[in-house]
Amino acid sequence: MVLTGDIDTRLDVPARGIAEGFSLAFSDGTLLRGAFLDDASSCRFALAVEGAAQVRITRHEDGDGVDLNWNFEWITLACGQETLQPEAADADEDVLQLTLDIVVEESV
């Protein structure tokens, strides 16, 4: 997946994200859910949570384009189906949290 605009970078989605889908969270509160098409070279996106940014998803035969109009401080990528399923932090608490599957690799 490639991010362009003010951000110009390539995000490598792990195999789990290709098989199970992935989520992109933005500092403004926007949450996008992504799923790869059968050829695993293009994606379909859905707006899961609307943040402050203006979001426009354009559908194309070979995948979706997403335009986000906002100044972001950070973007995170998480893989797997459970990234959008809130879970109680403790059975006695009514606080909900998002489970994020993020792997950090350090170079030696």
Side-chain angles (χ1 to χ4, degrees), residues 16-92:
R16 183 173 181 201
I18 294 170
E20 297 180 26
F22 60 93
S23 301
L24 290 168
F26 298 84
S27 58
D28 75 307
T30 299
L31 185 61
L32 292 176
R33 183 81 176 121
F36 279 90
L37 298 177
D38 292 334
D39 63 359
S41 66
S42 53
C43 302
R44 289 281 183 235
F45 289 97
L47 181 62
V49 176
E50 189 173 352
Q54 294 177 355
V55 179
R56 188 176 83 219
I57 299 173
T58 53
R59 303 272 185 228
H60 304 282
E61 190 174 300
D62 60 346
D64 292 350
V66 179
D67 292 317
L68 296 136
N69 187 7
W70 197 256
N71 292 321
F72 300 105
E73 294 180 22
W74 52 262
I75 299 170
T76 61
L77 168 68
C79 298
Q81 292 294 328
E82 73 273 3
T83 59
L84 293 181
Q85 296 175 0
E87 297 178 348
D90 186 332
D92 297 329

